[in-house]
Amino acid sequence: MLSEAIANELRAIVGSNWFLDSPEDLATYSYDGFLPEYKPDGIIIPENREEIAAIMGLANKEKINIIPRGAGTNICGSSVARQGGIIMAFHRMNRILEIDRENMCAVVQPGVVNADLQREAARFRLMYPPDPASMFVSTIGGNVALNAGGPRGVKYGVTRDYLLGLEVVLPTGEVIRTGGKSLKSVTGYDLTRLMCGSEGTLGIITEIILKLVPLPTSKATLQAIFLDVDHAAKTVSAIMASGIVPTTLELIDKVILDVISDYGGASFPKDAEALLLIEVDGEEVLVKAQGERIEEFCKERGAIEVQRARNAEEAEMLWQARRTAFGAVARLRPNILVEDATVPVKRLPDMIRVIMDLAEKYGLRIGVLAHAGDGNLHPLIMTDLRDEEEMARIDKALDELFEAAIGMGGTLSGEHGVGIAKDRFIDMEYSEKAIEIMRGIKRVFDPNNILNPGSFL
Amino acid sequence: MLSEAIANELRAIVGSNWFLDSPEDLATYSYDGFLPEYKPDGIIIPENREEIAAIMGLANKEKINIIPRGAGTNICGSSVARQGGIIMAFHRMNRILEIDRENMCAVVQPGVVNADLQREAARFRLMYPPDPASMFVSTIGGNVALNAGGPRGVKYGVTRDYLLGLEVVLPTGEVIRTGGKSLKSVTGYDLTRLMCGSEGTLGIITEIILKLVPLPTSKATLQAIFLDVDHAAKTVSAIMASGIVPTTLELIDKVILDVISDYGGASFPKDAEALLLIEVDGEEVLVKAQGERIEEFCKERGAIEVQRARNAEEAEMLWQARRTAFGAVARLRPNILVEDATVPVKRLPDMIRVIMDLAEKYGLRIGVLAHAGDGNLHPLIMTDLRDEEEMARIDKALDELFEAAIGMGGTLSGEHGVGIAKDRFIDMEYSEKAIEIMRGIKRVFDPNNILNPGSFL
């Protein structure tokens, strides 16, 4: 609990409107996209770097936990006050400071919503590639802190690949800048990328320089349906091996196809076992040729139905199934756990089989969405948090799931983060010594362990 | 100086053939691609991780400096024993362990020569994009430690962008693994990229997993000559703004063109002020169209001559000028200092003018090669290290050069590293606090400061 004196000091820094501690506010900020709830001691909403530096100076002196939070869409619990403390929110710092057409970069504040940046960049015929599913609400600051990915990752990579520079307020209240507008820099240790994916544990990001790329002038969107999930997985391998680099290469499994059909979002053949949603982008002449080749790949490998969108509306319709998947699944049970195990691309069919087997073994209903092109699977586990017996079975299944992923040379998390969701699994992937190094780095940045201390370390 | 007892312990670890301390060997390993010489106390050439772990365990206990060295091609002095110690060389660890066609990645030992990996990957129709000028001798371990770039960086990025995972022996002798074959991973702090560009100060890299990309099936190579360097720079901007992402976009200035002409490597119009060497790669249909558009851009912006290669031999001839540049310049004076200041792309013409002005102001002969597409300039300063008066003028010019680059939002080093060449400039780019954080990270990895301690921190 915060003393009234400290609450007043915080109010003095940001103005009394921007420090919240009513029961309603505390409840609102007690959870994020992951499930567990932890009531914070307050919420502070700074306007600029100077206020943040003052807040951190005070917090560091008084040993008050600060938990930075963008839009709270992360699904690993990296923005909740597990050990108490104050949530710092960024919706007042939501300005796009500059789109620099000639240098092809953007300078933004952390609270800018991803889709707003996409829209603004497009006005300059530029694109910011990372497109997490949360992009219409999630913020760039949160995207950087979690190193967000998205369907376009197959071709364009993830947030890290577009990060040129940062301004950061350290837990001690000091401000540092890393990187800059240059496309290349090797001066000193790569603090820019160390911050990326650090889940708000090393510093508060107050300004972000992002690389942009030319907006593709054309794209082709295809949907292919398979009776056998292995045929779909082989098609994924064939496309990836062909030299074509698709923009997106998404897979939806039978469980989810059936749910979408029941939901009325779209209708698929009853015996369909997998759907691939494939997009290529670039210059028109190339996109057309690649679209045709991909259609052939699908047919040669047993697709019973291939649709190629003839225009933007048809493309949008093909995306419909993927977009409604989550909502359709959410209808069935009170909660969904979205997992994020990722494996080397060629192990994708093996991993899908593992998930199907675990569902059967533990009597669970699990559907699979996958960014198949980069081996990033999202098993959706349908459950009810209140059902302790089922949750115990899920825990066992997760243990086996992660063991299998790591055993295949994969990782606990491709793009969602560790947070409080997977901290108990991290020693499957990293040795005690590697974790000790990470803890040491944490201490260098945050000697009093006040910044998001409940998170993964 | 090493005691004979410790030398014997080291011999016992690697075998007496692989610990060198003859005067000839010490002289051979006393310098790298940068200029100053520091005689090491010995050279050790381990065969595997276990030997390296044993060496580091001993070195850590006895506080013996270890300086890892690939092919020693770096030009920032990051592989010399400035504070004494033992050079660790990797030419016995030069195996390509695996090219994984389906996952499009390679697993290599640190001593693998870059060009050997390129060649092997090409057999699988894959490409490893980073192509430092040193690629025919420099090693992947060194490339990772320095985060090497190269002409293809405009389109393909640098070493960091292809790094999936590492095995590292820490200065304390413990072994950690980071990352893996998965294309995406956000588990824990990004130790993989923290190692990249750390210039051998954080750990010894013993295994490297690299992402590969499909080998482009076609390319177009163009050379354009301009009477005004500003016209060349504007052409660079126009190409970059057009949506075309060239593979390489190199600029050679008048000073170097004249030297090449005198050298007999190729001949250029007497009043030519700049040459652009431009390459695009990808699928044939696209490459052809882009080649034609680039030719138009050049002509519209005042190129007096544009050549487009009709075949591989002609392309090779066009590269000839760029390839002979360094050799031609090296003939003129005993030493060349290659600088590496990098600026946001649109400041390229400003930076070229700054360099021309500094050459005049300080009575120096400086030519400019630039990876123009990413703002990475390589001023070649022709000098004689023994001429103290001239070296003093160069020092002053460098101060102004770096100040100008940083003032334009640029960086000290785009791709060559800091090492002992630029450590005195690092506080121009990073605040005292940022450097303190870097020092703190160094202590976490290397509490006894034994790994390349003479380098940039």
Side-chain angles (χ1 to χ4, degrees):
Chain A
M1 278 297 296
L2 278 188
S3 74
E4 197 48 31
I6 287 180
N8 283 334
E9 282 195 67
L10 291 169
R11 286 189 189 97
I13 294 170
V14 292
S16 56
N17 285 339
W18 303 110
F19 178 80
L20 315 176
D21 58 0
S22 74
E24 297 76 11
D25 289 320
L26 299 183
T28 304
Y29 285 90
S30 67
Y31 62 95
D32 58 17
F34 190 50
L35 304 167
E37 298 181 18
Y38 300 96
K39 198 159 282 185
D41 300 316
I43 300 99
I44 197 158
I45 308 155
E47 192 184 10
N48 54 44
R49 175 187 64 196
E50 289 70 26
E51 289 182 2
I52 294 173
I55 295 163
M56 294 316 297
L58 177 65
N60 194 46
K61 193 179 61 163
E62 303 288 346
K63 307 221 179 10
I64 301 161
N65 296 340
I66 301 286
I67 298 95
R69 171 189 163 110
T73 52
N74 80 85
I75 50 180
C76 65
S78 70
S79 55
V80 291
R82 178 153 65 163
Q83 300 183 3
I86 295 167
I87 302 282
M88 184 181 285
F90 294 90
H91 42 274
R92 294 172 74 199
M93 293 176 71
N94 64 350
R95 278 182 303 140
I96 296 172
L97 302 172
E98 186 186 5
I99 303 278
D100 184 337
R101 177 73 189 89
E102 283 173 284
N103 288 316
M104 294 208 282
C105 65
V107 185
V108 305
Q109 292 188 318
V112 167
V113 169
N114 179 306
D116 291 343
L117 174 59
Q118 305 269 359
R119 204 174 304 117
E120 189 63 15
R123 289 184 49 220
F124 294 79
R125 288 182 293 119
L126 294 170
M127 177 168 79
Y128 174 64
D131 60 340
S134 60
M135 62 183 274
F136 294 102
V137 276
S138 72
T139 64
I140 297 293
N143 290 176
V144 172
L146 275 290
N147 191 13
R152 287 200 290 239
V154 192
K155 175 169 178 176
Y156 289 101
V158 295
T159 304
R160 178 177 65 215
D161 302 310
Y162 295 89
L163 200 53
L164 293 176
L166 290 172
E167 180 185 77
V168 175
V169 177
L170 297 173
T172 49
E174 290 142 305
V175 181
I176 64 170
R177 295 197 72 100
T178 72
K181 278 191 181 180
S182 295
L183 290 174
K184 278 167 153 180
S185 174
V186 297
T187 308
Y189 295 147
D190 192 346
L191 301 183
T192 310
R193 261 147 291 267
L194 185 59
M195 288 297 305
C196 187
S198 66
E199 302 188 8
T201 63
L202 297 181
I204 310 263
I205 296 166
T206 49
E207 201 175 293
I208 303 153
I209 308 177
L210 295 166
K211 179 179 156 184
L212 304 174
V213 299
L215 189 67
T217 50
S218 181
K219 69 178 171 183
T221 308
L222 296 96
Q223 173 184 290
I225 294 174
F226 296 83
L227 296 185
D228 184 328
V229 67
D230 279 343
H231 293 170
K234 290 211 169 90
T235 305
V236 170
S237 301
I239 293 170
M240 296 304 291
S242 71
I244 298 174
V245 181
T247 311
T248 58
L249 183 33
E250 301 280 304
L251 181 147
I252 305 178
D253 84 339
K254 180 173 179 49
V255 173
I256 295 186
L257 287 179
D258 288 348
V259 173
I260 295 171
S261 287
D262 293 348
Y263 185 57
S267 119
F268 304 104
K270 258 254 108 357
D271 43 0
E273 226 181 53
L275 176 150
L276 292 181
L277 177 68
I278 310 160
E279 214 159 70
V280 287
D281 68 9
E283 300 221 14
E284 193 172 358
V285 50
L286 185 63
V287 161
K288 195 165 171 300
Q290 291 185 335
E292 284 163 11
R293 280 177 67 196
I294 289 172
E295 183 166 349
E296 277 167 40
F297 282 129
C298 293
K299 286 181 175 160
E300 285 165 14
R301 276 156 194 85
I304 54 162
E305 188 190 310
V306 183
Q307 287 183 60
R308 187 140 54 98
R310 282 164 302 184
N311 50 49
E313 289 71 42
E314 285 189 12
E316 198 45 43
M317 274 182 53
L318 296 184
W319 270 94
Q320 209 48 32
R322 175 69 177 80
R323 293 235 173 83
T324 53
F326 202 86
V329 171
R331 237 169 25 110
L332 298 183
R333 297 287 305 277
N335 305 103
I336 311 177
L337 290 169
V338 185
E339 268 318 324
D340 184 33
T342 299
V343 293
V345 182
K346 79 172 165 197
R347 303 306 298 270
L348 186 77
D350 303 331
M351 196 63 201
I352 292 174
R353 290 284 164 212
V354 165
I355 294 167
M356 289 164 76
D357 290 350
L358 287 172
E360 196 175 322
K361 178 173 174 185
Y362 290 104
L364 301 169
R365 193 161 180 196
I366 309 180
V368 175
L369 292 174
H371 305 314
D374 45 26
N376 188 186
L377 293 108
H378 292 324
L380 307 187
I381 308 172
M382 302 164 223
T383 185
D384 182 340
L385 282 187
R386 295 161 300 187
D387 182 342
E388 286 179 21
E389 184 276 326
E390 186 175 75
M391 288 304 291
R393 277 183 281 134
I394 288 175
D395 271 355
K396 282 186 193 153
L398 285 183
D399 274 337
E400 289 192 39
L401 179 83
F402 292 132
E403 245 166 58
I406 303 281
M408 291 178 195
T411 177
L412 293 178
S413 176
E415 57 180 17
H416 290 170
V418 176
I420 64 174
K422 297 190 193 170
D423 58 349
R424 72 191 165 97
F425 300 110
I426 197 170
D427 62 359
M428 282 187 185
E429 184 163 346
Y430 281 100
S431 65
E432 185 46 46
K433 181 65 191 179
I435 295 168
E436 186 189 318
I437 292 277
M438 292 185 198
R439 289 207 180 99
I441 292 171
K442 167 71 169 163
R443 275 192 300 274
V444 168
F445 281 80
D446 184 11
N448 288 326
N449 195 28
I450 58 163
L451 200 61
N452 203 4
S455 195
F456 68 94
L457 288 171
Chain B
M1 280 297 294
L2 277 188
S3 73
E4 196 49 32
I6 286 181
N8 283 334
E9 281 195 66
L10 291 169
R11 285 189 190 97
I13 293 170
V14 292
S16 56
N17 286 339
W18 302 110
F19 177 80
L20 314 176
D21 58 359
S22 74
E24 296 77 9
D25 288 320
L26 299 183
T28 304
Y29 286 89
S30 67
Y31 62 94
D32 58 16
F34 191 50
L35 304 166
E37 297 180 17
Y38 299 96
K39 198 159 282 186
D41 300 315
I43 299 100
I44 197 157
I45 308 155
E47 192 185 9
N48 54 43
R49 177 187 62 195
E50 288 71 25
E51 289 182 2
I52 294 173
I55 295 163
M56 294 316 298
L58 176 65
N60 193 46
K61 192 178 63 163
E62 303 289 346
K63 307 221 178 12
I64 301 161
N65 296 340
I66 301 285
I67 299 96
R69 172 188 162 110
T73 53
N74 80 85
I75 50 180
C76 65
S78 70
S79 55
V80 290
R82 178 152 70 163
Q83 300 182 5
I86 295 168
I87 302 280
M88 183 181 285
F90 295 90
H91 42 275
R92 294 172 75 199
M93 293 177 71
N94 64 349
R95 277 183 304 139
I96 296 172
L97 301 172
E98 186 186 5
I99 303 278
D100 184 337
R101 177 73 189 87
E102 283 173 285
N103 289 315
M104 295 208 281
C105 65
V107 184
V108 305
Q109 291 189 318
V112 167
V113 169
N114 179 307
D116 291 344
L117 174 59
Q118 305 270 357
R119 204 173 305 118
E120 188 63 15
R123 290 184 49 220
F124 294 79
R125 289 183 292 118
L126 294 170
M127 177 168 79
Y128 174 63
D131 59 340
S134 60
M135 61 184 273
F136 295 102
V137 274
S138 72
T139 65
I140 297 293
N143 290 176
V144 172
L146 275 290
N147 190 13
R152 287 200 290 239
V154 192
K155 176 169 179 175
Y156 289 101
V158 296
T159 304
R160 177 177 65 215
D161 302 310
Y162 295 89
L163 201 53
L164 294 176
L166 290 172
E167 180 185 76
V168 176
V169 177
L170 297 173
T172 49
E174 290 143 304
V175 181
I176 64 170
R177 293 197 72 102
T178 73
K181 278 191 181 179
S182 296
L183 289 174
K184 278 167 152 179
S185 174
V186 296
T187 308
Y189 295 147
D190 192 346
L191 301 183
T192 310
R193 260 145 292 266
L194 185 59
M195 288 298 304
C196 186
S198 66
E199 302 188 7
T201 63
L202 297 181
I204 310 262
I205 297 166
T206 49
E207 201 175 291
I208 304 154
I209 308 178
L210 295 166
K211 179 180 158 183
L212 304 174
V213 300
L215 189 67
T217 49
S218 181
K219 69 178 172 183
T221 308
L222 295 96
Q223 173 184 289
I225 294 174
F226 297 83
L227 295 184
D228 184 329
V229 68
D230 279 344
H231 293 171
K234 290 212 169 89
T235 305
V236 170
S237 300
I239 294 170
M240 295 304 290
S242 72
I244 297 174
V245 181
T247 311
T248 58
L249 184 32
E250 301 280 304
L251 181 147
I252 305 179
D253 83 340
K254 180 173 180 48
V255 173
I256 296 186
L257 287 179
D258 288 347
V259 173
I260 295 171
S261 288
D262 293 347
Y263 186 56
S267 121
F268 304 104
K270 257 248 114 355
D271 44 0
E273 224 180 56
L275 177 150
L276 291 182
L277 178 68
I278 310 159
E279 214 160 70
V280 287
D281 69 8
E283 299 222 15
E284 193 172 358
V285 49
L286 185 63
V287 161
K288 194 164 172 299
Q290 291 185 335
E292 284 162 10
R293 279 177 67 195
I294 289 173
E295 183 165 347
E296 277 167 39
F297 282 129
C298 293
K299 286 181 175 160
E300 286 164 13
R301 277 156 194 86
I304 55 163
E305 188 190 310
V306 183
Q307 287 183 58
R308 187 139 54 98
R310 281 164 302 185
N311 51 48
E313 288 73 40
E314 285 188 13
E316 198 45 43
M317 274 183 52
L318 295 184
W319 270 95
Q320 209 48 31
R322 174 68 177 82
R323 293 235 173 82
T324 54
F326 203 86
V329 171
R331 237 170 25 107
L332 298 183
R333 297 288 303 279
N335 305 103
I336 311 177
L337 290 169
V338 185
E339 269 315 326
D340 184 35
T342 300
V343 293
V345 182
K346 77 173 165 195
R347 304 306 298 271
L348 186 78
D350 303 330
M351 197 62 201
I352 291 174
R353 291 283 163 210
V354 164
I355 294 166
M356 289 165 75
D357 291 349
L358 287 172
E360 195 175 323
K361 178 174 174 185
Y362 290 103
L364 301 169
R365 193 160 180 196
I366 309 180
V368 175
L369 293 174
H371 305 315
D374 45 26
N376 187 186
L377 293 109
H378 292 324
L380 307 187
I381 307 173
M382 302 164 222
T383 186
D384 182 341
L385 282 188
R386 295 161 299 187
D387 182 342
E388 286 179 20
E389 183 277 326
E390 186 175 77
M391 289 304 291
R393 277 183 281 132
I394 288 175
D395 270 355
K396 282 185 191 155
L398 284 182
D399 274 337
E400 289 192 39
L401 179 84
F402 293 133
E403 245 167 57
I406 303 281
M408 292 178 195
T411 177
L412 293 178
S413 177
E415 57 181 16
H416 289 170
V418 176
I420 64 174
K422 297 190 192 169
D423 57 349
R424 71 193 165 95
F425 299 111
I426 196 169
D427 61 358
M428 283 187 183
E429 185 163 345
Y430 281 100
S431 65
E432 186 45 48
K433 182 65 191 178
I435 295 168
E436 187 189 315
I437 293 277
M438 293 184 197
R439 289 206 180 99
I441 292 171
K442 167 71 170 162
R443 275 192 299 275
V444 169
F445 281 80
D446 184 11
N448 289 326
N449 195 29
I450 58 162
L451 200 60
N452 203 3
S455 196
F456 69 94
L457 287 171

